[in-house]
Amino acid sequence: TQELHPRDRPETLWVQYYPSRGFTVVVPNVYVDVPTLASRPGGIIPMPGWQYQFHSGEKVAFKTPVCEMLDERIGNWFLHERDREAAVIRSLLEFVRDREEDLQDGTRLL
């Protein structure tokens, strides 16, 4: 395994959930001027076990073993909850449409 000098380790990191990618560890991109990490001479060095996912101007995302565990245990929960919310909204819309005439009659009385 590759040992990193403390100066090469990220000082700040956070875990972020992306619906298309799951959980990722995100670190500040201290090499903003590096066009791609694949051709990074002296660019960001991931910690052992981290897999590069993507980067944008100021951040770089990696998949880690802990992120994979989070994906397996709770990652689908986010999608499940989104689907349940959509089902509730569809149900409410159907309820209102089925009672449209009654609702219009009620508003006329007011």
Side-chain angles (χ1 to χ4, degrees), residues 18 72-73:
Y18 295 93
E72 289 174 15
R73 292 190 180 178

Side-chain angles (χ1 to χ4, degrees), residues 2-108:
Q2 177 185 10
E3 286 295 320
L4 296 180
H5 189 279
R7 74 172 180 269
D8 296 325
R9 296 180 183 157
E11 293 180 16
T12 305
L13 62 84
W14 61 95
V15 175
Q16 191 161 353
Y17 179 80
Y18 295 93
S20 61
R21 296 186 185 270
F23 288 93
T24 60
V25 167
V26 180
V27 297
N29 186 356
V30 295
Y31 303 98
V32 174
D33 57 334
V34 176
T36 66
L37 293 176
S39 62
R40 62 182 187 274
I44 292 176
I45 302 168
M47 299 290 288
W50 291 19
Q51 298 171 350
Y52 169 78
Q53 296 295 299
F54 65 92
H55 74 280
S56 63
E58 297 178 3
K59 62 185 176 181
V60 183
F62 297 95
K63 186 64 79 172
T64 69
V66 171
C67 291
E68 290 172 355
M69 184 265 312
L70 289 171
D71 289 341
E72 289 174 15
R73 292 190 180 178
I74 61 175
N76 290 334
W77 179 83
F78 288 100
L79 299 176
H80 177 70
E81 287 302 306
R82 184 193 65 196
D83 293 344
R84 287 183 58 191
E85 288 174 355
V88 167
I89 291 169
R90 281 191 304 273
S91 182
L92 287 171
L93 182 59
E94 187 177 312
F95 177 85
V96 169
R97 285 182 177 160
D98 289 347
R99 289 156 183 81
E100 184 176 5
E101 287 182 31
D102 294 336
L103 292 169
Q104 288 176 348
D105 290 342
T107 55
R108 282 189 211 110

